[in-house]
Amino acid sequence: MQEFTAEQKMLRDTIANFAEKEVAPLAYEIDRDERFPAESFKRLAELGVLGITVPAEYGGAGTGYTEMCIVTEELARFCASTSATYADHADLCIDNIRRNATDNQKKKYLPSLCSGDKIGGLAMTEPSAGSDVMSMSLRAERKGGFYILNGTKTFITNGPV
């Protein structure tokens, strides 16, 4: 088993300290009120971890998946819902753009997502398919310079924000 680097240990300690002092006291309220943890996201942006896998040229931290997992795990120790919204933002949205977008799309979207000015979401779940991506029926059809989406999504993570 490989040990964490000194930088990874420092990240773990920083996020653990933040999560214990600032996330944990809000966890019950966030779950009870079914609300987005805006104050935690603001602080995660200040800590520079929203775009943890994104190169610095786009506003990210330029690290990797291990570091993203460290942040996700430490948040989950104190608030599972804050951890889930972070992971959806940082991995399913931001990292997808980092891996698959054109350079122009990266320049357009990544800086504001990494800074927390924009919050990324995920629209995967469908009424008749759940999260089984192979059974999903939504389709995107190109019409000129746009795509027309035809279908229904439910439970859009981070959708309200």
Side-chain angles (χ1 to χ4, degrees):
M1 184 169 145
Q2 186 175 346
E3 293 292 320
F4 285 155
T5 65
E7 292 82 9
Q8 290 167 335
K9 289 176 184 176
M10 186 169 63
L11 173 66
R12 182 191 60 207
D13 294 345
T14 299
I15 299 301
N17 184 51
F18 157 71
E20 183 174 15
K21 289 181 178 169
E22 298 183 45
V23 175
L26 300 172
Y28 175 77
E29 174 191 328
I30 287 167
D31 287 345
R32 181 195 66 213
D33 298 344
E34 298 179 9
R35 73 172 181 85
F36 181 79
E39 56 277 270
S40 298
F41 259 65
K42 181 177 187 217
R43 288 286 293 127
L44 288 165
E46 292 168 1
L47 291 169
V49 297
L50 290 184
I52 198 156
T53 61
V54 174
E57 69 184 283
Y58 299 112
T63 63
Y65 293 117
T66 299
E67 290 78 8
M68 184 190 304
C69 289
I70 289 169
V71 174
T72 304
E73 184 175 79
E74 290 304 319
L75 290 172
R77 288 179 52 217
F78 298 97
C79 182
S81 55
T82 298
S83 178
T85 56
Y86 166 78
D88 287 350
H89 174 81
D91 185 22
L92 300 176
C93 177
I94 291 179
D95 197 60
N96 244 320
I97 294 170
R98 179 193 67 83
R99 287 182 291 118
N100 299 304
T102 66
D103 193 50
N104 284 340
Q105 291 169 325
K106 291 176 187 179
K107 288 177 186 173
K108 180 177 180 179
Y109 296 111
L110 289 176
S112 60
L113 287 164
C114 291
S115 70
D117 290 338
K118 302 276 187 204
I119 302 298
L122 177 70
M124 181 169 51
T125 307
E126 292 187 357
S128 61
S131 296
D132 176 5
V133 294
M134 298 307 290
S135 297
M136 291 179 185
S137 61
L138 183 132
R139 296 292 176 250
E141 182 181 337
R142 190 168 183 98
K143 295 272 186 172
F146 299 93
Y147 284 92
I148 304 296
L149 301 180
N150 187 359
T152 303
K153 295 290 183 180
T154 58
F155 308 117
I156 299 172
T157 305
N158 296 344
V161 293

